[in-house]
Amino acid sequence: MRKIKITLRILFLLIFATIAHYALPQHDVVRVVNTYQERQDLNDWTRMFWARPDDQSAELINRDVQFIQTVKRRTFLLGFIPREATEPMVYRNEDTGFSWPFYFKFDTANLQTEADDLRSTSETPKWAVMTHYGWRNEYISAFPNAIAIRPVDSPNVTIIPWFNIFFFICLAALLLFIRAMWRQFRERSVDPLLDAAGHRVDEVQADVAERKGRISRWLGTWRKKDNSRLPPE
C-alpha cells in the first residue's frame, strides 16, 4: 500500500510539473529575424497546442496564424545560465482570450508590430526578451505562444522570473493552509469518530466474547449431566 501511495504521489508531481512547465511564463533572449503569417490546419490531436481565443475558433479546421522568427540565446538549467551559442526559435502569436492558460492576451497585432520594429541582422543585432508559454516541437509542429517582447541593450541580461517565484510561494502557502485545515478537521471531527467507532467495535467484540462464554458454559453443564447418566464401569 505504501508503494502505491508513493507511486501515485510521484505520478501526480510529474503531471503537475509538466503542466506547470507548459503553462507558466518563460523568458528567452532573442534577436528577431522575420515575422510572417501562415494558414494552419487544426483538424488533428495537435489542436491542443493552439490557442482557442473565442468560441468560433473551436469550430474552425484551419485559420491564419502569425509567427515570429528569431535567433535564441541558448541556456543551461531551464534558462538560468546563458551560453554563447544560439539556435533558431519560432514563436506563434495568438490571442488567448479568456481560455486556458489564463494570460488574457488580446494584443496580437500590437505584439506583431513590436516584433517587426525589433527585426535586425547579425551584423547590427537588436536583442530582446521574449516572454512566452508552451513548447517547441518540430515533429508535431508545436510552437510556443509569444506573450510579450521588450528590447534589451545586450544578450547578457539577467532575467528573474518574478511571476513564477510568486506563483510557487503562493502555491506553497495554499498547500500549507489546506494541510493545517485538514489536520484541524481530522482532530476535531474524523479522529473522534474513529475513536468512537473503535470503542464500539471493542464493545461489540467484548459482548460477542461474553455471549460465546455463556454458551460454552451452558454446553458444559449439559456435558456434565450426560456424563453423570453413564453407567458405572
Side-chain angles (χ1 to χ4, degrees), residues 154-170:
S154 73
N156 301 315
V157 59
T158 301
I159 303 172
I160 302 177
W162 292 111
F163 179 87
N164 294 350
I165 294 172
F166 180 74
F167 172 81
F168 284 109
I169 290 175
C170 291

Side-chain angles (χ1 to χ4, degrees), residues 1-12:
M1 189 66 183
R2 180 189 171 112
K3 292 183 179 179
I4 294 177
K5 288 182 179 180
I6 294 175
T7 302
L8 290 176
R9 288 175 181 174
I10 294 175
L11 182 61
F12 174 79

Side-chain angles (χ1 to χ4, degrees), residues 21-24 26 28 30 34-42 45-53 57 63-70 88-97 99-101 103 105 107-109 111-112 115 130-137 140-149:
H21 187 263
Y22 178 85
L24 289 177
Q26 303 175 40
D28 298 334
V30 301
N34 189 28
T35 61
Y36 67 97
Q37 182 171 286
E38 185 176 88
R39 198 156 193 84
Q40 293 292 321
D41 292 327
L42 309 173
W45 68 273
T46 59
R47 187 187 188 96
M48 61 184 293
F49 295 109
W50 300 90
R52 297 177 58 183
S57 65
R63 66 166 179 261
D64 291 332
V65 179
Q66 299 183 90
F67 292 90
I68 302 174
Q69 292 178 308
T70 69
M89 175 61 69
V90 181
Y91 303 89
R92 59 190 166 95
N93 182 18
E94 293 185 285
D95 285 340
T96 61
S99 60
W100 185 88
Y103 284 91
K105 178 188 173 188
D107 60 345
T108 294
L111 180 58
Q112 197 77 357
M130 180 76 77
T131 302
H132 67 90
Y133 73 88
W135 302 320
R136 176 72 175 107
N137 190 303
I140 61 175
S141 298
F143 301 88
N145 191 12
I147 301 299
I149 189 172

Side-chain angles (χ1 to χ4, degrees), residues 88-126:
M89 175 61 69
V90 181
Y91 303 89
R92 59 190 166 95
N93 182 18
E94 293 185 285
D95 285 340
T96 61
F98 297 100
S99 60
W100 185 88
F102 304 106
Y103 284 91
F104 306 107
K105 178 188 173 188
F106 299 94
D107 60 345
T108 294
N110 293 344
L111 180 58
Q112 197 77 357
T113 303
E114 294 174 6
D116 278 329
D117 188 53
L118 290 172
R119 283 197 293 181
S120 63
T121 62
S122 58
E123 290 78 14
T124 56
K126 293 181 181 179

Side-chain angles (χ1 to χ4, degrees), residues 99-228:
S99 60
W100 185 88
F102 304 106
Y103 284 91
F104 306 107
K105 178 188 173 188
F106 299 94
D107 60 345
T108 294
N110 293 344
L111 180 58
Q112 197 77 357
T113 303
E114 294 174 6
D116 278 329
D117 188 53
L118 290 172
R119 283 197 293 181
S120 63
T121 62
S122 58
E123 290 78 14
T124 56
K126 293 181 181 179
W127 294 97
V129 174
M130 180 76 77
T131 302
H132 67 90
Y133 73 88
W135 302 320
R136 176 72 175 107
N137 190 303
E138 293 85 357
Y139 300 104
I140 61 175
S141 298
F143 301 88
N145 191 12
I147 301 299
I149 189 172
R150 61 180 177 88
V152 292
D153 295 331
S154 73
N156 301 315
V157 59
T158 301
I159 303 172
I160 302 177
W162 292 111
F163 179 87
N164 294 350
I165 294 172
F166 180 74
F167 172 81
F168 284 109
I169 290 175
C170 291
L171 180 63
L174 178 62
L175 292 176
L176 291 175
F177 177 72
I178 293 174
R179 182 173 180 267
M181 287 185 61
W182 165 248
R183 294 185 66 178
Q184 289 185 359
F185 174 76
R186 187 180 63 185
E187 291 175 358
R188 295 178 181 179
S189 302
V190 177
D191 289 346
L193 289 175
L194 293 177
D195 292 339
H199 290 314
R200 182 59 181 166
V201 170
D202 292 339
E203 292 175 357
V204 171
Q205 289 178 347
D207 184 64
V208 170
E210 183 180 356
R211 291 176 182 274
K212 289 174 67 176
R214 290 177 183 176
I215 295 173
S216 298
R217 289 193 295 270
W218 179 73
L219 291 175
T221 58
W222 281 96
R223 292 193 190 98
K224 290 180 181 179
K225 291 179 180 180
D226 293 339
N227 290 334
S228 63

